[in-house]
Structures are given as C-alpha cells and as structure tokens.
Amino acid sequence: MKYWLAALGPWMVATAAFSQAPQPVDVSWTYHGTFEDNALRIGAECYAPASLVENWGWSVEFNGTEAEVTDGDRSAAVPVITYRGTSYLSLTQASRYFGGYTTWSEDKSLFTVKSWVRTIEKTDSGVSLKATLPFQARSFRLSEPARLVIDLKGATYDQGRFDGLPEGWRAGQFDEETFRFVVEDPAMLDQPIPEALVGTTFTVDLLSVIAEAKAAAERATEEEDTTETEEPQEAEAADPEPDVDTASYVARAGEVQFNIPFSQPPRLPDEEPLPFIAPSAKYIDPRTIELMIPGVQPKEEIEKFVTESDELESWTLTRTSETAGLLTLNFAQPMAFELKHSEAELDLRTFRPETLTGGLQGKVIVLDAGHGGKDPGALYDGESEKKYALIVAKLMKEELLQMGASIIMTRATDDYVGLRTRTDVANNSSAAAFVSVHFNATPKVNKISGVMSFYHKQNPLDMLLAECITSE
C-alpha cells in the first residue's frame, strides 16, 4: 500500500520553489558524516538528487512532480523539483516520513538528519535500544563507579523521554552527534563489551539484569515451596464483584483496585469556581505510581479506599494545591495500571504486566473516546459518533493492556469531557501517546471509506505512529 502522508499538495511546493533561488548546501546524514554541495535549500526545504540519498541505501523512482522513495520495506511519496536539468526530491519530507530529526544550521548552509531514539526497553536478559534510522553503536567500560557506556553516533532523542529508566540506567545527548546510554552497576566491571554495529536496534545482554532475573526466579521457587508446606486454610467468603464496566472487565494477576471519591473544595456563593483538575497518573519509576486526585481529602479519609495488599508496600498523600493532591503508591514489583473516572470517583486498577518484555511495558497511553454526554458528535441513521468512539476505545484498551501498556481513559462512560481536560490528562500523566478516536459521517452516498490519522507535522515519531495505525 502506498501512503501519501508526506505528499500533500506537491504542486504547491514546486510553485513556491521556482519563486526562490536555490542555494547549494551540505547534508549531514546520521553517522555517515557530511556530503558537500550535493543538495539545494529552497525556503525551509532541503532537496537532494537521487545520487545523494543512494549513499545511505535509499532507492528513488521519479514520476513527474513526485518521487517514490524506498527505505527497506517503507515507502514515501514526496515532491520533486527540476533544477538545471536535474531532478531533486524533498529530503526534508522524506527524512521526516522515515522518522528522522531534521535541523538547519544557523546560517542555513548545513542540513542535518539524525536518527531518533524511540525506546529503551529492559529485556529478560539486558537492554534493547531502538531508533528510527540507522546509527553507529560502540560500547566501552568505565570504572569508579563501574559503568557500561553505549554511544549511538548519528542519534538524538526527546528530552524527558527516558526519565523513568530503571535505577542505575541513564540516557542523554553526549554531544551534537552522539546519544549516550549508561548502565551503572558493580556487575559492569565484568561486563563483556558488545561488538560495534550499524542498525536501528542495539540489544545487549547485561550481567546485572541476568543476576536480577536469577534472584527473582529463586525467590519465586522459595515461595512455591513455602506454599506447598502450609496447612490448608478454610476458604473465605468471596468479596463482592467490583463496581466496574463488566463488559470489558478482565481480572489480572496481582491486581489491586482503588475506588476513590473526590470533589472540588466548597466555595462561598460570591467566590469564583476553582478550575477543575482531571485525575491523572504517571510512573515515577517502574514500582512507583503517582496519582493526581482533585479535591484532596484528609489522610484518614483516603485510608478507607486504599486497598491492603501484599503488592502494595506503602503509600503517601500530599497536597499540591487547593484543588489537588498526589497519592504516591509504592509497589513490591513493577506494575501496570488502568485509570478511568466519573464526575465524582476515580477507578485505578494496578496489576502485574502480562507482557514483561514488550515495547509497551512501562508506557502510559491515554485513550480518548471522542465527544460524549451532551456532545453526540456526528449523527447518521439514528446512531451517534460518541457511542462507537467509546466502543473502539475500550477494545483498544484491552489490546494495549495485554501488550503491557498502562492505560488512562479520558472517559469510560457516556460523559461530557472538555477538550482542555482531555489534553491536561495526557500532559499531567507524561503519556507516551495520546490517541483520540473519532468517526466521520456524510449525508451523501459515496465510496469514501477507510482510516485517517492526524499527527503533529513537526514530530517524526507522531508520523510513524500515524503510519502504523493507518496500515493496520
């Protein structure tokens, strides 16, 4: 299937191009270094001939005012201009389509494309780093303290993206060309140094992770042995079924549920109402979840609703403002969660992730079912958009939970939620993705059908997510 996400209005780009004199520029491509005077700058766009992009493995097929650029199993249709008899494709749009981070030098003489580091995942035996474009990876050890350093040449990242890494792990930009990942642990003194490679994925077995997994397995064996020797106990009466959406409720291993009522602080009749703060949740680290609660109640009141559990080691409640506070939950092991709320109660479920090595473990995803309540959305043949948006959002929730993600629903019932509140939930939760579900309708009979994905044009990772959604 051919995607046109990066090729909207190519004739407009070409028209604008002829109104400005092309300027020769250099191109710096990930780890390949700088190619001199092989490209053109026209306005904010960089254009390159096929001979240049072939240096990093792209293939190009020109077709009039467009070019189909292929990188492995990915293709992009981008605008083309002709200058002095040579065809140039939009390197700016092709790079962004494939997930590259693009910048111009201050004097606009150098166009730089870097690989964008998407994920740092803890695997059963180590770590896996994944990026959008190929990088050059090299590793070395340091002592005092013992560290393994992994440098990805030609890569960059979003600041704050990797704030929740496991203890002893850290990541950041070492210099303009190099993204650096560090593991600090005494075991790194004996850590084998991985071989250098070029690619989009770098996976390393870490002695510290292997030792941690071994210790966890030994503890699990000891617990099983203890359980087998215990005297049988009389079965206790079953707890009543939780008050949740039974149509989509699935009990999960190690589940702990919190149903906490909240309200806005009382105000005098002549006082301005305080702004509503929607409940949100985020990871402090894999074992610690921070829950923002509107209308904070005294600790003794909250105690009624915090469930006692072997999984929950401790919790604290602190007030952050007149209208909200933070409930910090500390668990014995990494937990996934699902958060939804009504106008007066929040429902948080925490549980052990079903997928421990998936790319979504430790990721918070906000699912936004469009419209709701007094806002029906599009209407057709007696049906409303809000109804089907919620159905699809709930189905997505179950799929993502099974992949190890933690989910926040902006609405779980037929409630009206303001647009500002929806985005605040995502921002306050440091969500990896905000996915809003909508349906379009038209009163005219037509043959138009399919999926449309909208994304922020300045974020290549948003574009990649849109591509993945559209291709499903």
Side-chain angles (χ1 to χ4, degrees), residues 99-190:
Y101 176 80
T102 63
T103 56
W104 282 103
S105 60
E106 188 173 349
D107 62 1
K108 302 294 191 293
S109 64
L110 176 66
F111 183 71
T112 300
V113 181
K114 293 190 180 77
S115 178
W116 207 317
V117 181
R118 295 186 299 156
T119 59
I120 299 176
E121 301 171 6
K122 187 176 184 180
T123 67
D124 286 338
S125 58
V127 64
S128 179
L129 294 86
K130 297 180 180 179
T132 55
L133 295 173
F135 50 73
Q136 187 177 63
R138 61 181 287 269
S139 308
F140 56 93
R141 286 195 306 257
L142 295 173
S143 59
E144 298 182 1
R147 288 159 287 167
L148 175 69
V149 179
I150 300 175
D151 281 346
L152 306 184
K153 184 180 180 181
T156 189
Y157 79 117
D158 269 333
Q159 286 193 4
R161 184 174 184 83
F162 302 121
D163 288 348
L165 292 174
E167 184 178 357
W169 293 18
R170 56 183 183 270
Q173 202 69 28
F174 177 68
D175 57 34
E176 290 186 0
E177 294 185 349
T178 309
F179 172 84
R180 173 165 288 184
F181 171 69
V182 178
V183 179
E184 182 177 323
D185 189 278
M188 293 302 101
L189 282 175
D190 301 315

XYZ file of all heavy atoms in Angstrom, residues 99-190:
737
model
N 11.116 9.058 9.987
C 11.373 9.214 11.414
C 12.620 9.991 11.765
O 13.047 9.979 12.920
N 13.232 10.688 10.805
C 14.442 11.443 11.083
C 14.170 12.764 11.783
O 13.111 13.371 11.604
N 15.127 13.195 12.582
C 15.067 14.505 13.243
C 15.895 15.466 12.401
O 17.099 15.274 12.209
C 15.631 14.403 14.653
C 15.708 15.725 15.378
C 14.584 16.277 15.974
C 16.924 16.416 15.467
C 14.659 17.494 16.641
C 16.998 17.624 16.139
C 15.870 18.163 16.718
O 15.941 19.362 17.371
N 15.259 16.512 11.859
C 15.928 17.390 10.909
C 16.134 18.790 11.483
O 15.266 19.324 12.175
C 15.115 17.509 9.607
O 13.842 18.121 9.889
C 14.866 16.134 8.991
N 17.302 19.384 11.191
C 17.594 20.750 11.621
C 18.456 21.438 10.566
O 19.176 20.784 9.797
C 18.366 20.774 12.956
O 19.568 20.004 12.832
C 17.520 20.218 14.089
N 18.390 22.769 10.558
C 19.281 23.596 9.747
C 20.298 24.262 10.663
O 19.983 24.618 11.796
C 18.501 24.691 9.016
C 17.750 24.235 7.791
C 16.411 24.012 7.688
C 18.314 23.981 6.503
N 16.087 23.616 6.409
C 17.238 23.591 5.656
C 19.603 24.036 5.974
C 17.424 23.267 4.318
C 19.800 23.701 4.643
C 18.718 23.326 3.832
N 21.512 24.440 10.147
C 22.498 25.212 10.888
C 22.043 26.675 10.931
O 21.163 27.094 10.178
C 23.868 25.114 10.223
O 23.820 25.620 8.892
N 22.657 27.461 11.813
C 22.227 28.846 11.982
C 22.324 29.647 10.685
O 21.460 30.487 10.401
C 23.066 29.513 13.075
C 22.576 30.895 13.463
C 23.325 31.448 14.652
O 24.080 30.684 15.292
O 23.170 32.655 14.935
N 23.353 29.374 9.877
C 23.492 30.111 8.617
C 22.807 29.417 7.439
O 22.957 29.838 6.291
C 24.976 30.331 8.292
C 25.723 29.012 8.088
O 25.095 27.928 8.187
O 26.948 29.056 7.839
N 22.051 28.346 7.738
C 21.266 27.625 6.718
C 22.131 26.997 5.625
O 21.659 26.744 4.524
C 20.235 28.568 6.067
C 19.257 29.197 7.042
C 18.356 28.152 7.670
C 17.206 28.784 8.446
N 17.653 29.499 9.629
N 23.381 26.698 5.932
C 24.256 26.097 4.924
C 24.404 24.587 5.101
O 24.968 23.910 4.236
C 25.652 26.735 4.980
O 26.279 26.451 6.226
N 23.909 24.058 6.238
C 24.038 22.633 6.530
C 22.700 22.081 6.999
O 22.106 22.586 7.952
C 25.102 22.400 7.614
C 25.268 20.955 8.097
C 25.803 20.059 6.977
C 26.182 20.889 9.325
N 22.246 21.032 6.321
C 21.007 20.341 6.681
C 21.392 19.033 7.361
O 22.083 18.199 6.783
C 20.174 20.063 5.433
C 18.843 19.411 5.713
C 17.821 20.123 6.305
C 18.617 18.080 5.369
C 16.588 19.530 6.559
C 17.390 17.484 5.609
C 16.371 18.212 6.207
N 20.963 18.865 8.621
C 21.347 17.693 9.409
C 20.151 16.788 9.657
O 19.071 17.268 10.025
C 21.949 18.119 10.757
O 23.109 18.917 10.516
C 22.340 16.914 11.597
N 20.354 15.492 9.464
C 19.330 14.489 9.749
C 19.906 13.492 10.751
O 20.968 12.919 10.525
C 18.889 13.744 8.479
C 17.801 12.714 8.824
C 18.373 14.717 7.429
N 19.209 13.310 11.880
C 19.635 12.353 12.894
C 18.572 11.278 13.086
O 17.384 11.513 12.859
C 19.889 13.053 14.234
C 21.066 14.005 14.270
C 21.355 14.442 15.702
C 22.545 15.399 15.778
N 22.172 16.749 15.343
N 19.041 10.130 13.532
C 18.126 9.072 13.951
C 17.498 9.475 15.276
O 18.140 10.123 16.110
C 18.892 7.755 14.096
O 18.046 6.726 14.552
N 16.241 9.090 15.483
C 15.518 9.459 16.699
C 15.371 8.211 17.566
O 14.738 7.234 17.175
C 14.132 10.003 16.338
C 13.566 10.957 17.337
C 13.594 10.850 18.690
C 12.883 12.176 17.059
N 12.962 11.913 19.280
C 12.509 12.743 18.301
C 12.515 12.835 15.894
C 11.807 13.939 18.401
C 11.819 14.030 15.997
C 11.480 14.575 17.230
N 15.960 8.213 18.758
C 15.859 7.062 19.655
C 14.437 6.992 20.201
O 13.973 7.909 20.871
C 16.881 7.157 20.809
C 16.767 5.930 21.720
C 18.291 7.273 20.257
N 13.758 5.900 19.902
C 12.347 5.745 20.280
C 12.168 5.085 21.630
O 11.365 5.524 22.451
C 11.592 4.924 19.224
C 11.475 5.574 17.859
C 10.601 4.732 16.963
N 11.175 3.394 16.767
C 10.466 2.321 16.434
N 9.173 2.406 16.308
N 11.058 1.165 16.242
N 12.887 3.961 21.863
C 12.655 3.195 23.084
C 13.960 2.671 23.663
O 14.921 2.398 22.940
C 11.732 1.985 22.823
O 12.329 1.136 21.844
C 10.369 2.434 22.341
N 13.972 2.576 24.977
C 14.999 1.839 25.708
C 14.244 0.826 26.558
O 13.579 1.194 27.525
C 15.853 2.759 26.593
C 16.583 3.800 25.742
C 16.859 1.951 27.398
C 17.365 4.816 26.554
N 14.303 -0.447 26.177
C 13.486 -1.478 26.806
C 14.348 -2.433 27.614
O 15.397 -2.888 27.151
C 12.733 -2.274 25.741
C 11.820 -1.433 24.861
C 11.280 -2.226 23.695
O 11.545 -3.457 23.651
O 10.609 -1.647 22.833
N 13.892 -2.729 28.813
C 14.541 -3.749 29.629
C 14.019 -5.107 29.193
O 12.812 -5.364 29.237
C 14.244 -3.511 31.106
C 15.014 -4.439 32.035
C 14.746 -4.075 33.487
C 15.577 -4.936 34.429
N 15.322 -4.583 35.858
N 14.891 -5.991 28.744
C 14.511 -7.332 28.308
C 14.749 -8.327 29.443
O 15.193 -7.956 30.535
C 15.318 -7.751 27.077
O 16.699 -7.909 27.452
C 15.233 -6.695 25.987
N 14.464 -9.605 29.182
C 14.692 -10.636 30.199
C 16.162 -10.745 30.586
O 16.492 -11.144 31.702
C 14.211 -11.998 29.685
C 12.693 -12.091 29.671
O 12.054 -11.324 30.415
O 12.147 -12.922 28.925
N 17.047 -10.376 29.645
C 18.474 -10.574 29.912
C 19.314 -9.314 29.738
O 20.535 -9.373 29.834
C 19.030 -11.658 28.975
O 18.831 -11.290 27.615
N 18.705 -8.177 29.455
C 19.510 -6.977 29.260
C 18.700 -5.780 28.829
O 17.684 -5.441 29.442
N 19.142 -5.143 27.745
C 18.503 -3.916 27.278
C 18.475 -3.895 25.754
O 19.357 -4.460 25.101
C 19.258 -2.671 27.810
C 20.677 -2.615 27.255
C 18.510 -1.384 27.483
N 17.455 -3.245 25.209
C 17.330 -3.085 23.767
C 17.031 -1.625 23.463
O 16.080 -1.059 23.999
C 16.202 -3.976 23.216
O 16.066 -3.801 21.816
N 17.882 -1.008 22.619
C 17.679 0.375 22.199
C 17.215 0.378 20.748
O 17.841 -0.266 19.896
C 18.974 1.180 22.333
C 19.524 1.395 23.752
C 20.409 0.227 24.176
C 20.313 2.691 23.829
N 16.137 1.105 20.469
C 15.584 1.145 19.121
C 15.440 2.592 18.659
O 15.037 3.459 19.434
C 14.223 0.444 19.070
C 14.289 -1.041 19.416
C 12.918 -1.696 19.340
C 13.009 -3.174 19.698
N 11.691 -3.843 19.651
N 15.757 2.828 17.371
C 15.688 4.177 16.803
C 15.032 4.121 15.435
O 14.773 3.042 14.881
C 17.084 4.790 16.720
N 14.773 5.284 14.865
C 14.026 5.362 13.615
C 14.892 5.151 12.384
O 14.432 4.613 11.374
C 13.343 6.733 13.497
O 14.346 7.763 13.644
C 12.301 6.910 14.584
N 16.149 5.601 12.427
C 17.082 5.480 11.300
C 18.361 4.804 11.794
O 18.638 4.802 12.989
C 17.405 6.858 10.714
C 16.256 7.627 10.056
C 16.709 9.041 9.691
C 15.738 6.902 8.818
N 19.163 4.237 10.891
C 20.386 3.569 11.335
C 21.338 4.508 12.069
O 21.476 5.676 11.730
C 21.007 3.080 10.016
C 19.849 2.929 9.083
C 18.923 4.057 9.440
N 21.977 3.956 13.106
C 23.010 4.647 13.871
C 24.248 3.747 13.914
O 24.197 2.570 13.536
C 22.532 4.955 15.292
C 21.944 3.762 16.004
C 22.757 2.726 16.471
C 20.571 3.657 16.196
C 22.225 1.625 17.109
C 20.025 2.547 16.832
C 20.853 1.533 17.282
N 25.350 4.300 14.381
C 26.569 3.518 14.575
C 26.795 3.368 16.077
O 26.976 4.360 16.794
C 27.754 4.213 13.918
C 29.038 3.395 13.920
C 30.151 4.125 13.175
O 30.566 5.214 13.579
N 30.635 3.536 12.098
N 26.764 2.133 16.566
C 26.859 1.885 18.001
C 28.244 1.382 18.378
O 28.814 0.529 17.693
C 25.812 0.866 18.430
N 28.791 1.923 19.468
C 30.040 1.434 20.040
C 29.913 1.493 21.565
O 29.167 2.328 22.107
C 31.244 2.265 19.581
C 31.188 3.721 19.973
C 32.402 4.485 19.472
N 33.597 4.162 20.230
C 33.993 4.841 21.309
N 33.266 5.861 21.757
N 35.106 4.510 21.937
N 30.623 0.586 22.251
C 30.487 0.470 23.702
C 31.862 0.415 24.364
O 32.850 0.001 23.745
C 29.702 -0.790 24.067
O 28.473 -0.854 23.370
N 31.915 0.810 25.629
C 33.139 0.690 26.411
C 32.782 0.731 27.890
O 31.667 1.103 28.263
C 34.134 1.801 26.059
C 33.598 3.198 26.215
C 33.776 3.899 27.400
C 32.925 3.821 25.166
C 33.295 5.191 27.540
C 32.436 5.110 25.291
C 32.622 5.800 26.484
N 33.742 0.293 28.720
C 33.539 0.275 30.176
C 34.296 1.417 30.847
O 35.357 1.830 30.374
C 34.011 -1.051 30.771
C 33.121 -2.238 30.504
C 33.506 -3.395 31.441
N 34.909 -3.725 31.357
C 35.409 -4.770 30.706
N 34.584 -5.575 30.046
N 36.703 -5.016 30.701
N 33.750 1.865 31.976
C 34.426 2.828 32.833
C 34.376 2.305 34.261
O 33.485 1.517 34.611
C 33.754 4.205 32.761
C 33.820 4.934 31.410
C 32.972 6.196 31.454
C 35.262 5.275 31.043
N 35.318 2.740 35.079
C 35.349 2.300 36.470
C 35.199 3.495 37.405
O 35.272 4.646 37.000
C 36.669 1.574 36.766
O 37.776 2.418 36.519
N 34.955 3.169 38.692
C 34.845 4.188 39.757
C 33.829 5.286 39.429
O 34.205 6.446 39.237
C 36.224 4.799 40.049
C 37.234 3.801 40.564
C 38.565 4.449 40.888
O 38.687 5.698 40.725
O 39.488 3.756 41.297
N 32.555 4.978 39.393
C 31.936 3.673 39.586
C 31.923 2.839 38.301
O 32.156 3.376 37.215
C 30.515 4.038 40.028
C 30.243 5.317 39.301
C 31.549 6.065 39.302
N 31.622 1.558 38.452
C 31.600 0.643 37.310
C 30.430 0.981 36.394
O 29.282 1.043 36.842
C 31.489 -0.796 37.799
N 30.737 1.199 35.112
C 29.704 1.585 34.152
C 29.959 0.937 32.798
O 31.113 0.735 32.402
C 29.694 3.103 33.940
C 29.148 3.931 35.083
C 29.650 5.358 35.008
N 31.061 5.438 35.374
C 31.839 6.498 35.166
N 31.336 7.567 34.564
N 33.102 6.491 35.540
N 28.853 0.641 32.104
C 28.914 0.297 30.689
C 28.324 1.474 29.932
O 27.221 1.937 30.238
C 28.110 -0.970 30.378
C 28.029 -1.315 28.887
C 29.392 -1.759 28.358
C 26.985 -2.387 28.617
N 29.077 1.965 28.948
C 28.638 3.119 28.153
C 28.362 2.655 26.727
O 29.190 1.980 26.116
C 29.709 4.228 28.145
C 29.239 5.408 27.289
C 30.005 4.684 29.563
N 27.190 3.016 26.211
C 26.818 2.716 24.831
C 26.565 4.026 24.111
O 25.680 4.802 24.506
C 25.558 1.830 24.759
C 25.800 0.494 25.473
C 25.137 1.600 23.308
C 24.567 -0.389 25.558
N 27.354 4.315 23.082
C 27.199 5.533 22.292
C 26.564 5.196 20.944
O 27.008 4.268 20.258
C 28.557 6.195 22.050
C 29.038 6.972 23.264
O 28.223 7.214 24.167
O 30.235 7.321 23.309
N 25.538 5.948 20.583
C 24.888 5.811 19.284
C 25.219 7.051 18.465
O 24.639 8.128 18.676
C 23.369 5.653 19.443
C 22.872 4.531 20.363
C 21.360 4.456 20.324
C 23.495 3.198 19.997
N 26.145 6.925 17.538
C 26.533 8.052 16.698
C 25.468 8.306 15.645
O 24.991 7.387 14.992
C 27.875 7.779 16.026
C 28.392 8.953 15.208
C 29.730 8.637 14.566
C 30.254 9.812 13.730
N 31.548 9.504 13.086
N 25.114 9.587 15.474
C 24.093 9.951 14.498
C 22.685 9.900 15.046
O 21.728 9.884 14.278
N 22.542 9.876 16.390
C 21.212 9.751 17.000
C 20.951 10.863 17.996
O 21.882 11.459 18.554
C 21.077 8.396 17.685
N 19.680 11.127 18.242
C 19.245 12.101 19.232
C 17.963 11.604 19.869
O 17.478 10.505 19.549
C 19.049 13.492 18.600
O 18.826 14.458 19.631
C 17.873 13.502 17.642
N 17.360 12.411 20.764
C 16.149 11.963 21.474
C 15.371 13.171 21.982
O 15.848 14.308 21.928
C 16.529 11.060 22.645
C 17.015 11.800 23.865
C 16.314 11.740 25.066
C 18.180 12.581 23.834
C 16.754 12.417 26.190
C 18.625 13.250 24.954
C 17.907 13.172 26.127
O 18.326 13.850 27.235
N 14.150 12.909 22.467
C 13.336 13.936 23.116
C 13.743 14.048 24.575
O 13.722 13.051 25.302
C 11.848 13.559 23.056
C 11.175 14.111 21.820
O 11.636 15.129 21.303
O 10.177 13.515 21.377
N 14.102 15.238 25.025
C 14.442 15.417 26.433
C 13.255 15.046 27.306
O 12.122 15.419 27.036
C 14.859 16.864 26.704
C 16.236 17.203 26.168
C 16.761 18.513 26.716
O 16.123 19.137 27.559
N 17.913 18.921 26.246
N 13.528 14.274 28.355
C 12.468 13.822 29.255
C 11.861 12.499 28.855
O 11.104 11.908 29.636
N 12.171 12.022 27.660
C 11.545 10.786 27.180
C 11.950 9.587 28.026
O 11.169 8.650 28.207
C 11.915 10.549 25.711
C 11.230 9.324 25.103
C 11.507 9.229 23.620
N 10.793 8.143 23.012
C 9.534 8.191 22.607
N 8.853 9.309 22.775
N 8.942 7.162 22.058
N 13.174 9.589 28.559
C 13.674 8.431 29.281
C 13.924 8.743 30.761
O 14.866 8.232 31.358
C 14.960 7.923 28.613
C 14.773 7.556 27.164
C 15.515 8.182 26.167
C 13.828 6.621 26.785
C 15.340 7.863 24.830
C 13.640 6.281 25.453
C 14.396 6.904 24.473
N 13.059 9.574 31.334
C 13.225 9.928 32.747
C 12.905 8.768 33.686
O 13.378 8.732 34.806
C 12.329 11.120 33.103
C 12.843 12.425 32.490
O 13.985 12.426 32.013
O 12.099 13.413 32.493
N 12.101 7.809 33.249
C 11.660 6.728 34.133
C 12.430 5.437 33.972
O 11.884 4.351 34.190
N 13.707 5.498 33.626
C 14.510 4.293 33.438
C 14.779 3.599 34.779
O 14.724 4.231 35.830
C 15.832 4.648 32.765
C 15.757 5.118 31.310
C 17.137 5.562 30.831
C 15.215 4.029 30.402
N 15.095 2.297 34.745
C 15.424 1.587 35.988
C 16.600 2.237 36.715
O 17.413 2.949 36.110
C 15.775 0.177 35.500
C 15.035 0.021 34.209
C 15.049 1.387 33.581
N 16.702 1.955 38.002
C 17.772 2.524 38.818
C 19.142 2.147 38.246
O 19.393 0.998 37.890
C 17.653 2.013 40.250
C 18.662 2.614 41.215
C 18.485 2.121 42.621
O 17.539 1.339 42.861
O 19.301 2.510 43.487
N 20.011 3.137 38.134
C 21.341 2.906 37.602
C 21.445 3.094 36.106
O 22.547 3.093 35.555
N 20.314 3.248 35.425
C 20.306 3.493 33.975
C 20.080 4.983 33.729
O 19.263 5.609 34.411
C 19.199 2.706 33.286
C 19.361 1.223 33.293
C 20.176 0.489 34.106
C 18.676 0.285 32.468
N 20.042 -0.845 33.834
C 19.128 -1.011 32.828
C 17.728 0.402 31.454
C 18.664 -2.167 32.218
C 17.257 -0.756 30.843
C 17.729 -2.020 31.214
N 20.758 5.534 32.755
C 20.500 6.921 32.378
C 20.839 7.125 30.900
O 21.625 6.381 30.310
C 21.281 7.903 33.253
C 22.791 7.700 33.295
C 23.420 8.693 34.257
N 24.867 8.601 34.287
C 25.543 7.817 35.114
N 24.899 7.033 35.964
N 26.875 7.794 35.078
N 20.224 8.138 30.332
C 20.398 8.393 28.902
C 20.391 9.894 28.663
O 19.752 10.650 29.391
C 19.285 7.728 28.096
N 21.108 10.333 27.619
C 21.147 11.753 27.282
C 22.009 11.998 26.060
O 22.579 11.068 25.483
N 22.087 13.254 25.662
C 22.876 13.645 24.493
C 24.299 13.966 24.944
O 24.525 14.933 25.679
C 22.237 14.853 23.803
C 22.630 15.021 22.360
C 22.057 13.927 21.471
O 21.014 13.370 21.760
N 22.746 13.621 20.378
N 25.273 13.145 24.517
C 26.663 13.356 24.905
C 27.250 14.547 24.159
O 27.930 15.392 24.739
C 27.481 12.094 24.628
C 28.944 12.242 24.921
C 29.393 12.394 26.221
C 29.884 12.260 23.887
C 30.746 12.547 26.501
C 31.228 12.405 24.153
C 31.659 12.556 25.460
N 27.038 14.607 22.846
C 27.422 15.767 22.049
C 26.444 15.869 20.886
O 25.458 15.120 20.835
C 28.879 15.668 21.560
C 29.159 14.407 20.751
O 28.253 13.932 20.022
O 30.284 13.888 20.824
N 26.673 16.793 19.968
C 25.714 17.017 18.891
C 25.495 15.781 18.030
O 24.426 15.603 17.445
C 26.183 18.183 18.005
C 26.094 19.539 18.680
C 26.430 20.671 17.720
O 26.725 20.373 16.546
O 26.393 21.836 18.143
N 26.489 14.916 17.939
C 26.398 13.755 17.063
C 26.047 12.466 17.793
O 25.691 11.475 17.144
C 27.737 13.535 16.326
C 28.113 14.630 15.351
C 29.378 14.272 14.593
O 30.049 13.293 14.993
O 29.696 14.954 13.612
N 26.116 12.454 19.128
C 26.098 11.186 19.851
C 25.068 11.156 20.973
O 25.050 12.023 21.853
C 27.483 10.894 20.449
O 28.482 11.026 19.432
C 27.534 9.487 21.027
N 24.223 10.111 20.951
C 23.313 9.798 22.054
C 24.006 8.760 22.942
O 24.573 7.786 22.437
C 22.003 9.226 21.512
C 21.077 8.688 22.566
C 20.218 9.534 23.243
C 21.060 7.333 22.875
C 19.364 9.041 24.225
C 20.207 6.833 23.844
C 19.354 7.690 24.516
N 23.977 8.974 24.251
C 24.699 8.077 25.163
C 23.746 7.425 26.162
O 22.894 8.088 26.759
C 25.784 8.836 25.902
C 26.484 8.025 27.012
C 27.773 8.676 27.465
N 28.817 8.550 26.432
C 30.075 8.958 26.595
N 30.446 9.536 27.740
N 30.961 8.810 25.630
N 23.942 6.096 26.328
C 23.189 5.323 27.320
C 24.197 4.689 28.279
O 25.202 4.118 27.844
C 22.355 4.244 26.637
C 21.710 3.277 27.586
C 20.692 3.676 28.424
C 22.139 1.954 27.647
C 20.093 2.783 29.304
C 21.558 1.051 28.527
C 20.528 1.477 29.355
N 23.923 4.797 29.599
C 24.873 4.331 30.608
C 24.169 3.402 31.592
O 23.052 3.692 32.051
C 25.492 5.517 31.378
C 26.442 5.017 32.470
C 26.210 6.456 30.429
N 24.817 2.290 31.906
C 24.367 1.394 32.975
C 25.418 1.419 34.069
O 26.573 1.046 33.834
C 24.177 -0.047 32.469
C 23.742 -0.952 33.621
C 23.159 -0.095 31.344
N 25.026 1.882 35.241
C 25.953 1.950 36.390
C 25.580 0.855 37.383
O 24.491 0.863 37.961
C 25.876 3.320 37.052
C 26.847 3.487 38.213
C 26.809 4.882 38.799
O 26.647 5.853 38.012
O 26.927 5.000 40.041
N 26.485 -0.115 37.542
C 26.233 -1.248 38.421
C 27.568 -1.947 38.674
O 28.390 -2.044 37.760
C 25.237 -2.227 37.769
C 24.771 -3.305 38.727
O 25.506 -4.304 38.901
O 23.678 -3.168 39.292
N 27.804 -2.458 39.893
C 29.073 -3.154 40.149
C 29.342 -4.296 39.177
O 30.504 -4.599 38.871
C 28.898 -3.667 41.584
C 27.936 -2.705 42.209
C 26.994 -2.318 41.114
N 28.274 -4.922 38.673
C 28.448 -6.042 37.744
C 29.086 -5.608 36.433
O 29.604 -6.449 35.679
C 27.101 -6.710 37.472
N 29.072 -4.306 36.148
C 29.632 -3.836 34.877
C 31.162 -3.950 34.834
O 31.757 -3.843 33.761
C 29.219 -2.380 34.633
C 27.721 -2.194 34.398
S 27.047 -3.135 33.016
C 26.282 -4.507 33.886
N 31.795 -4.207 35.991
C 33.245 -4.415 35.987
C 33.625 -5.635 35.151
O 34.693 -5.687 34.540
C 33.758 -4.596 37.422
C 33.912 -3.317 38.266
C 34.307 -3.671 39.681
C 34.937 -2.369 37.635
N 32.743 -6.640 35.139
C 32.995 -7.868 34.383
C 32.142 -7.966 33.124
O 32.110 -9.009 32.478
C 32.722 -9.084 35.274
C 33.593 -9.082 36.526
O 34.806 -8.814 36.387
O 33.056 -9.340 37.621
